[in-house]
Amino acid sequence: EKLIIFVFLSCFFFVLNMFLWETMWLKPMKLLAVFVHEMSHAIACWLTCGEVLAIKVFSNEGGVTHFRGGIQLCIIPAGYLGC
């Protein structure tokens, strides 16, 4: 019974998400996801003794983290760990 409810709710939210994806209702959540992604780069930079110069999140749901130093092999893929 719990499995049926879980599957039903998962399908419901998936379909709802498809219809709302390009609306203003989900925009804040998408921008928050971009921020978490960029913060993951920044945290990896700090953990590898680098310096974060700037974190920018754009309204088109893109973002960039500018940094100096640190270990790029750890910093670049770190965004995928956060989001």
Side-chain angles (χ1 to χ4, degrees), residues 39-50 70-71 74-79:
M39 277 303 297
S40 297
H41 290 298
I43 290 168
C45 179
W46 290 321
L47 289 175
T48 59
C49 300
I71 301 171
C74 296
I75 297 169
I76 293 172

Side-chain angles (χ1 to χ4, degrees), residues 2-20:
K2 287 183 180 181
L3 180 62
I4 293 171
I5 293 171
F6 174 76
V7 170
F8 174 76
L9 287 176
S10 296
C11 291
F12 173 75
F13 285 120
F14 178 76
V15 170
L16 185 65
N17 205 11
M18 285 177 47
F19 286 109
L20 295 178

Side-chain angles (χ1 to χ4, degrees), residues 27-81:
K27 187 78 160 188
M29 293 303 294
K30 291 192 221 177
L31 293 176
L32 180 62
V34 173
F35 177 74
V36 169
H37 175 91
E38 297 305 326
M39 277 303 297
S40 297
H41 290 298
I43 290 168
C45 179
W46 290 321
L47 289 175
T48 59
C49 300
E51 176 185 4
V52 176
L53 304 174
I55 297 175
K56 298 178 184 177
V57 176
F58 303 111
S59 62
N60 68 351
E61 297 157 23
V64 64
T65 300
H66 296 280
F67 63 91
R68 179 182 308 135
I71 301 171
Q72 288 188 3
L73 189 63
C74 296
I75 297 169
I76 293 172
Y80 297 106
L81 297 176

